[in-house]
Amino acid sequence: MTHHKHLVQIFRSNRRIGSGVRLTKYFALTAAHCLGDDEEKGKRPVMLRLPGGRRLEGEVKEFDLLSDMALVRIVFRKGEGFALPGVLFGTARRHDPWAATHRPPGNGVGLRGTVAHVSVIYQSTRDQAVNAHRLRHDGSCDIRKYSGSPIDRAEPDRPPVVLGLLVARPATTDAPADTLFAGTIEEAVRRFDLFKFRLSRAQQTPPGPDDIYTVVQDPQAEALARKDRTVPAELERAGVNGYVNLRWHHRP
């Protein structure tokens, strides 16, 4: 087992059923097929093992068979502290070397390969399509043990950068036998409702554990930021002479 802080192991009835990637302090992403054959089975509670051996309950909040991804909420005990995962999410490039974060116990050979194609159609219906990365693997180990594992850009001298997570091979694909598929974080953000931004106002109700991202509107902080010369100075030092001013709008 590696000890990357973003790796999560998933269990049911003390049996490991797959891996996942820690997205935020409250949520992990895994392959839906690890959890069950359909949504009804897949939404049953799970047990999560975090780096260091800590075990916590997991609640499946989103389950999507088309992308073969599921979003699991980590249920912390009341008053319990938690550490944010040390992880970066990056954009894959063709021919990038990659390695699976998960390493089965006692197996000295890890799953690795190169990126064959970036963000191609994975599965589709008449109304929608889902993208994923196509990966080549070196065939050195049993790929069934790696379902749901994050895949990292293989740069041993740098912090891990997650390119996606391993999902099932579509039944209808004509891809070569050495092809794997990696669901992307961008696709998860696009498909799962829990990633939708919620606008809050300062000094009002704090965000709950099911709010992955919250935009806080604070006029006083915005006014102070406009007077702060730190950002323009850093942009100038970096050779960038402008930036985009985002305006957030409430959507009921």
Side-chain angles (χ1 to χ4, degrees), residues 214-227:
T214 301
V215 178
V216 178
Q217 188 179 52
D218 188 342
Q220 184 178 2
E222 289 180 8
L224 290 173
R226 292 179 187 279
K227 296 178 181 179

Side-chain angles (χ1 to χ4, degrees), residues 4-20:
H4 292 283
K5 294 180 181 179
H6 58 280
L7 178 64
V8 174
Q9 303 291 359
I10 303 172
F11 295 79
R12 275 207 183 108
S13 302
N14 292 322
R15 182 177 68 88
R16 181 187 172 277
I17 58 175
S19 303

